[in-house]
Amino acid sequence: MTLMGILSNPAMLGMMAVAEETAQESSLFSPDQFAGYAVTAVITIVNVIVAYIIIKLFVYKPISKAIKNREALIKSQVEEAQKSNEEAKEYAATSKQAIDDARVQASGIIEEAKDSASKQSEVIISKANEDAANIIARAEEEAKRMKKAALDEMKDEISDLAVAIASRVLGDVMAADKIKTLANNYTNEVLKEEVNKIG
Protein backbone atom coordinates (compact mmCIF):
# COMPACT_ATOMS: atom_id res chain seq x y z
CA MET A 1 0.00 0.00 0.00
CA THR A 2 1.39 3.31 -1.00
CA LEU A 3 1.44 6.51 0.96
CA MET A 4 -1.24 8.02 -1.31
CA GLY A 5 -3.40 5.03 -0.69
CA ILE A 6 -3.05 5.36 3.03
CA LEU A 7 -3.77 9.10 3.00
CA SER A 8 -6.87 8.62 0.78
CA ASN A 9 -8.28 5.97 3.05
CA PRO A 10 -10.19 7.60 5.92
CA ALA A 11 -10.06 4.50 8.07
CA MET A 12 -6.36 4.47 7.91
CA LEU A 13 -6.20 8.10 8.77
CA GLY A 14 -8.31 7.48 11.89
CA MET A 15 -6.06 4.71 12.96
CA MET A 16 -3.08 6.88 12.50
CA ALA A 17 -4.67 9.64 14.58
CA VAL A 18 -5.44 7.18 17.38
CA ALA A 19 -1.88 5.85 17.21
CA GLU A 20 -0.54 9.39 17.33
CA GLU A 21 -2.67 10.22 20.38
CA THR A 22 -1.57 7.05 22.06
CA ALA A 23 2.03 7.90 21.29
CA GLN A 24 1.56 11.38 22.76
CA GLU A 25 -0.11 10.00 25.90
CA SER A 26 2.59 7.43 26.59
CA SER A 27 5.47 9.86 26.06
CA LEU A 28 7.79 10.45 29.04
CA PHE A 29 7.45 14.21 28.99
CA SER A 30 3.73 14.50 28.53
CA PRO A 31 1.73 16.64 30.97
CA ASP A 32 -0.03 13.59 32.33
CA GLN A 33 3.27 11.94 33.02
CA PHE A 34 4.58 15.14 34.69
CA ALA A 35 1.51 15.19 36.91
CA GLY A 36 2.12 11.56 37.89
CA TYR A 37 5.73 12.37 38.63
CA ALA A 38 4.72 15.32 40.79
CA VAL A 39 2.22 13.24 42.76
CA THR A 40 4.78 10.51 43.24
CA ALA A 41 7.36 13.08 44.37
CA VAL A 42 4.93 14.67 46.84
CA ILE A 43 3.93 11.27 48.24
CA THR A 44 7.61 10.27 48.52
CA ILE A 45 8.43 13.55 50.28
CA VAL A 46 5.50 13.08 52.68
CA ASN A 47 6.57 9.48 53.32
CA VAL A 48 10.16 10.61 53.99
CA ILE A 49 8.94 13.35 56.39
CA VAL A 50 6.61 10.92 58.20
CA ALA A 51 9.40 8.32 58.38
CA TYR A 52 11.78 10.99 59.68
CA ILE A 53 9.29 12.07 62.38
CA ILE A 54 8.60 8.44 63.40
CA ILE A 55 12.30 7.60 63.49
CA LYS A 56 13.07 10.78 65.43
CA LEU A 57 10.29 10.18 67.98
CA PHE A 58 10.49 6.42 68.41
CA VAL A 59 14.04 5.49 67.45
CA TYR A 60 16.42 8.47 67.60
CA LYS A 61 15.32 9.86 71.00
CA PRO A 62 15.53 6.49 72.87
CA ILE A 63 18.83 5.66 71.18
CA SER A 64 20.15 9.17 71.95
CA LYS A 65 18.99 8.83 75.57
CA ALA A 66 20.60 5.37 75.86
CA ILE A 67 23.85 6.74 74.39
CA LYS A 68 23.83 9.67 76.85
CA ASN A 69 23.14 7.29 79.75
CA ARG A 70 25.94 5.04 78.57
CA GLU A 71 28.31 8.01 78.24
CA ALA A 72 27.39 9.16 81.76
CA LEU A 73 27.95 5.61 83.11
CA ILE A 74 31.31 5.33 81.33
CA LYS A 75 32.33 8.78 82.57
CA SER A 76 31.40 7.91 86.15
CA GLN A 77 33.26 4.59 85.87
CA VAL A 78 36.33 6.38 84.48
CA GLU A 79 36.17 8.96 87.31
CA GLU A 80 35.74 6.17 89.84
CA ALA A 81 38.69 4.29 88.35
CA GLN A 82 40.82 7.45 88.48
CA LYS A 83 39.77 8.05 92.07
CA SER A 84 40.57 4.43 92.96
CA ASN A 85 43.91 4.76 91.18
CA GLU A 86 44.74 7.93 93.14
CA GLU A 87 43.66 6.26 96.40
CA ALA A 88 45.82 3.24 95.54
CA LYS A 89 48.80 5.53 94.87
CA GLU A 90 48.20 7.35 98.17
CA TYR A 91 47.85 4.03 99.97
CA ALA A 92 51.05 2.75 98.35
CA ALA A 93 52.89 5.93 99.38
CA THR A 94 51.47 5.68 102.91
CA SER A 95 52.39 2.00 103.11
CA LYS A 96 55.93 2.74 101.89
CA GLN A 97 56.26 5.51 104.48
CA ALA A 98 54.92 3.18 107.19
CA ILE A 99 57.40 0.48 106.16
CA ASP A 100 60.26 2.98 106.19
CA ASP A 101 59.14 4.24 109.63
CA ALA A 102 58.89 0.65 110.88
CA ARG A 103 62.40 -0.06 109.61
CA VAL A 104 63.73 3.05 111.36
CA GLN A 105 61.90 2.08 114.56
CA ALA A 106 63.17 -1.49 114.29
CA SER A 107 66.73 -0.20 113.85
CA GLY A 108 66.26 2.05 116.88
CA ILE A 109 64.84 -0.82 118.94
CA ILE A 110 67.73 -3.07 117.90
CA GLU A 111 70.25 -0.36 118.81
CA GLU A 112 68.51 0.21 122.15
CA ALA A 113 68.47 -3.53 122.78
CA LYS A 114 72.19 -3.73 121.94
CA ASP A 115 72.96 -0.79 124.24
CA SER A 116 70.77 -2.24 126.97
CA ALA A 117 72.36 -5.67 126.58
CA SER A 118 75.83 -4.11 126.62
CA LYS A 119 75.04 -2.10 129.75
CA GLN A 120 73.42 -5.11 131.36
CA SER A 121 76.41 -7.29 130.54
CA GLU A 122 78.72 -4.64 131.99
CA VAL A 123 76.61 -4.53 135.15
CA ILE A 124 76.56 -8.35 135.34
CA ILE A 125 80.31 -8.57 134.76
CA SER A 126 80.94 -5.84 137.33
CA LYS A 127 78.68 -7.59 139.85
CA ALA A 128 80.33 -10.93 139.10
CA ASN A 129 83.79 -9.38 139.56
CA GLU A 130 82.62 -7.77 142.79
CA ASP A 131 81.10 -11.04 144.02
CA ALA A 132 84.24 -12.91 143.00
CA ALA A 133 86.39 -10.33 144.83
CA ASN A 134 84.15 -10.66 147.91
CA ILE A 135 84.32 -14.45 147.74
CA ILE A 136 88.10 -14.32 147.36
CA ALA A 137 88.39 -11.83 150.23
CA ARG A 138 86.17 -14.02 152.43
CA ALA A 139 88.13 -17.10 151.41
CA GLU A 140 91.41 -15.36 152.25
CA GLU A 141 89.97 -14.21 155.59
CA GLU A 142 88.76 -17.73 156.26
CA ALA A 143 92.12 -19.14 155.24
CA LYS A 144 93.90 -16.68 157.56
CA ARG A 145 91.50 -17.52 160.38
CA MET A 146 91.94 -21.24 159.83
CA LYS A 147 95.71 -20.86 159.59
CA LYS A 148 95.74 -18.79 162.76
CA ALA A 149 93.57 -21.36 164.52
CA ALA A 150 95.84 -24.11 163.28
CA LEU A 151 98.91 -22.15 164.46
CA ASP A 152 97.30 -21.55 167.86
CA GLU A 153 96.56 -25.23 168.13
CA MET A 154 100.08 -26.06 166.99
CA LYS A 155 101.46 -23.50 169.48
CA ASP A 156 99.93 -25.34 172.39
CA GLU A 157 101.15 -28.68 171.10
CA ILE A 158 104.65 -27.31 170.34
CA SER A 159 104.81 -25.67 173.76
CA ASP A 160 103.85 -28.89 175.49
CA LEU A 161 106.29 -30.84 173.33
CA ALA A 162 109.11 -28.32 173.94
CA VAL A 163 108.49 -28.37 177.69
CA ALA A 164 108.53 -32.15 177.69
CA ILE A 165 111.77 -32.28 175.69
CA ALA A 166 113.42 -29.55 177.76
CA SER A 167 112.38 -31.24 181.03
CA ARG A 168 114.02 -34.46 179.96
CA VAL A 169 117.14 -32.80 178.66
CA LEU A 170 117.62 -30.29 181.45
CA GLY A 171 116.06 -32.36 184.14
CA ASP A 172 116.30 -30.73 187.51
CA VAL A 173 118.57 -27.88 186.39
CA MET A 174 115.69 -25.59 185.50
CA ALA A 175 112.21 -25.40 186.93
CA ALA A 176 109.33 -26.67 184.80
CA ASP A 177 107.53 -23.31 184.99
CA LYS A 178 110.58 -21.51 183.69
CA ILE A 179 110.95 -23.98 180.81
CA LYS A 180 107.28 -23.56 179.95
CA THR A 181 107.55 -19.75 179.95
CA LEU A 182 110.61 -19.83 177.65
CA ALA A 183 108.92 -22.30 175.33
CA ASN A 184 105.77 -20.13 175.14
CA ASN A 185 107.83 -17.00 174.38
CA TYR A 186 109.75 -18.73 171.60
CA THR A 187 106.58 -20.22 170.12
CA ASN A 188 104.83 -16.84 170.23
CA GLU A 189 107.71 -15.22 168.33
CA VAL A 190 107.66 -17.93 165.65
CA LEU A 191 103.87 -17.65 165.35
CA LYS A 192 104.05 -13.83 165.07
CA GLU A 193 106.49 -14.16 162.20
CA GLU A 194 104.18 -16.67 160.48
CA VAL A 195 101.14 -14.43 161.02
CA ASN A 196 103.08 -11.46 159.61
CA LYS A 197 103.97 -13.58 156.55
CA ILE A 198 100.28 -14.44 156.06
CA GLY A 199 99.13 -10.83 156.48
Side-chain angles (χ1 to χ4, degrees):
M1 197 181 248
T2 62
L3 183 60
M4 287 305 276
I6 294 171
L7 290 174
S8 62
N9 190 349
M12 286 299 260
L13 283 174
M15 280 177 68
M16 279 182 68
V18 169
E20 193 176 320
E21 276 182 30
T22 306
Q24 283 180 358
E25 284 177 9
S26 64
S27 144
L28 289 174
F29 301 108
S30 69
D32 291 338
Q33 287 294 329
F34 271 119
Y37 293 151
V39 169
T40 304
V42 169
I43 290 172
T44 303
I45 290 170
V46 169
N47 283 339
V48 168
I49 291 171
V50 169
Y52 172 77
I53 292 170
I54 290 172
I55 288 171
K56 187 168 184 181
L57 289 176
F58 297 108
V59 177
Y60 178 75
K61 281 190 179 178
I63 289 175
S64 177
K65 187 176 179 183
I67 289 171
K68 285 181 183 175
N69 289 342
R70 185 71 176 155
E71 283 178 358
L73 178 66
I74 290 170
K75 187 177 179 183
S76 69
Q77 287 176 343
V78 167
E79 288 173 357
E80 203 170 305
Q82 287 175 343
K83 186 178 176 184
S84 297
N85 190 21
E86 288 173 6
E87 287 176 358
K89 285 179 182 177
E90 288 176 9
Y91 180 73
T94 306
S95 297
K96 187 175 182 300
Q97 185 63 39
I99 289 169
D100 291 343
D101 292 345
R103 282 185 182 149
V104 169
Q105 287 178 352
S107 299
I109 289 169
I110 290 169
E111 288 301 319
E112 285 179 16
K114 282 181 182 177
D115 291 343
S116 177
S118 176
K119 288 176 184 173
Q120 214 169 12
S121 67
E122 288 174 8
V123 168
I124 290 170
I125 290 169
S126 173
K127 180 86 167 95
N129 288 337
E130 189 179 324
D131 289 347
N134 288 338
I135 290 169
I136 290 169
R138 281 198 305 267
E140 286 176 353
E141 295 262 339
E142 185 66 21
K144 284 179 187 177
R145 190 188 60 74
M146 288 175 67
K147 191 168 185 183
K148 189 174 179 189
L151 287 174
D152 286 342
E153 191 177 323
M154 282 175 49
K155 174 184 149 193
D156 293 338
E157 290 177 7
I158 290 170
S159 293
D160 291 343
L161 185 61
V163 169
I165 291 171
S167 295
R168 283 200 179 172
V169 172
L170 296 174
D172 295 330
V173 175
M174 197 179 280
D177 290 337
K178 182 90 172 161
I179 292 172
K180 191 167 187 176
T181 303
L182 288 172
N184 281 339
N185 289 338
Y186 179 73
T187 306
N188 284 337
E189 286 178 20
V190 171
L191 287 176
K192 275 183 187 175
E193 288 178 15
E194 287 297 323
V195 169
N196 288 336
K197 286 181 189 175
I198 293 169

